[in-house]
Amino acid sequence: HSMTEQGVRVCLPGDKIGTLETLGQGKSVRLGAGLLQTDDDFVATKAGIVRHLPQGNKYWVENNQRRYLPSVDDLVLGIVTDKHSENYKVDIRSNTHAVLPILAFEGASKRNRPYLEVGALVYCRILVANRDTEPELSCESTTNKKGWMTGQSVFGELTGGNLFEVSNGYARSLLSPDSVIVNTLGRYLAYELAVGVNGRVWIRSETVARTVLITNAILNSEFLLPDQVEVMVKTLVS
């Protein structure tokens, strides 16, 4: 499974990283997180990228941590876990739940606001992130002032489609305007995409089959080079 690319070595749990002989080369080997020694073999216990520090000849596996650390203005995909009279509790893959006030939607009022059910998926931004309190979310945009009822607001509930999880680092790269996979797919297929830097991605397109195809293309692209992405997408859509 392990592949080497531009010096980056990606491993999966159970992959053999090397032996005492190949990694040690006469020196002792220090193992960090994600590596285990069995007899003379060194084996990965988690997925990630193999790192090496020549000082002390230390090897470890670095992986994008699942936990997300909220930061103001981050775009996140949250799942409603509970509703109260004043707010919704939302899971954003961080250590604590976040709070989304019931009126934190563009143009919402007490009489006229969206009603989210438990399990609803919401695209929102982090409004407040302090160490001591639960993060606060908002579905109000600083730039797009289209009301929540128009169906054209940037944030709010996402319905249908497919939600999947990726590493937080990869999610950030998908939000970049020059994301190779997002732009390449867009040249061939029409689809809607919402990415949260908390490692969640939502896709919706005309058919379930197409949505699955796009999901797989994004999942497969994390460690590919730009020209490999192009080839893969062409193969998938042909």
Side-chain angles (χ1 to χ4, degrees), residues 16-152:
K16 186 173 148 180
I17 302 308
T19 63
L20 199 50
E21 206 172 309
T22 58
L23 298 188
Q25 296 177 338
K27 297 200 293 282
S28 65
V29 178
R30 284 172 60 212
L31 295 185
L35 287 177
L36 203 66
Q37 185 172 358
T38 55
D39 299 326
D40 281 347
D41 293 340
F42 296 111
V43 178
T45 58
K46 64 181 186 181
I49 293 169
V50 181
R51 299 285 188 208
H52 177 230
L53 189 69
Q55 298 149 289
N57 201 26
K58 183 175 178 183
Y59 287 86
W60 72 98
V61 175
E62 188 178 273
N63 74 346
N64 282 312
Q65 286 308 317
R66 299 308 262 176
R67 288 277 153 243
Y68 157 71
L69 288 170
S71 178
V72 171
D73 278 339
D74 271 359
L75 307 182
V76 294
L77 279 167
I79 296 169
V80 175
T81 56
D82 203 359
K83 24 185 206 177
H84 301 284
S85 56
E86 295 298 314
N87 59 49
Y88 298 102
K89 281 267 193 287
V90 182
D91 168 77
I92 56 168
R93 292 181 87 199
S94 72
N95 290 331
T96 58
H97 276 76
V99 175
L100 174 63
I102 59 170
L103 296 182
F105 295 83
E106 211 62 67
S109 65
K110 280 250 190 308
R111 284 187 163 169
N112 178 9
R113 63 180 178 85
Y115 288 86
L116 304 177
E117 295 301 326
V118 169
L121 180 65
V122 271
Y123 197 35
C124 25
R125 65 187 180 91
I126 305 264
L127 190 67
V128 180
N130 295 328
R131 274 232 161 111
D132 325 316
T133 58
E134 296 171 309
E136 187 181 324
L137 305 170
S138 173
C139 285
E140 291 180 280
S141 166
T142 50
T143 50
N144 176 341
K145 292 298 174 192
K146 297 233 166 84
W148 71 270
M149 289 178 68
T150 63
Q152 294 176 313

Side-chain angles (χ1 to χ4, degrees), residues 151-171:
Q152 294 176 313
S153 49
V154 181
F155 301 113
E157 184 176 7
L158 300 174
T159 55
N162 183 35
L163 174 71
F164 57 99
E165 297 192 340
V166 297
S167 66
N168 300 345
Y170 186 39

Side-chain angles (χ1 to χ4, degrees), residues 1-11 15-17 48-50 223-225 228:
H1 276 297
S2 28
M3 32 183 193
T4 309
E5 226 165 58
Q6 298 178 318
V8 170
R9 176 139 184 228
V10 179
C11 64
D15 282 355
K16 186 173 148 180
I17 302 308
I49 293 169
V50 181
F223 300 112
L224 296 183
L225 300 169
Q228 293 173 314

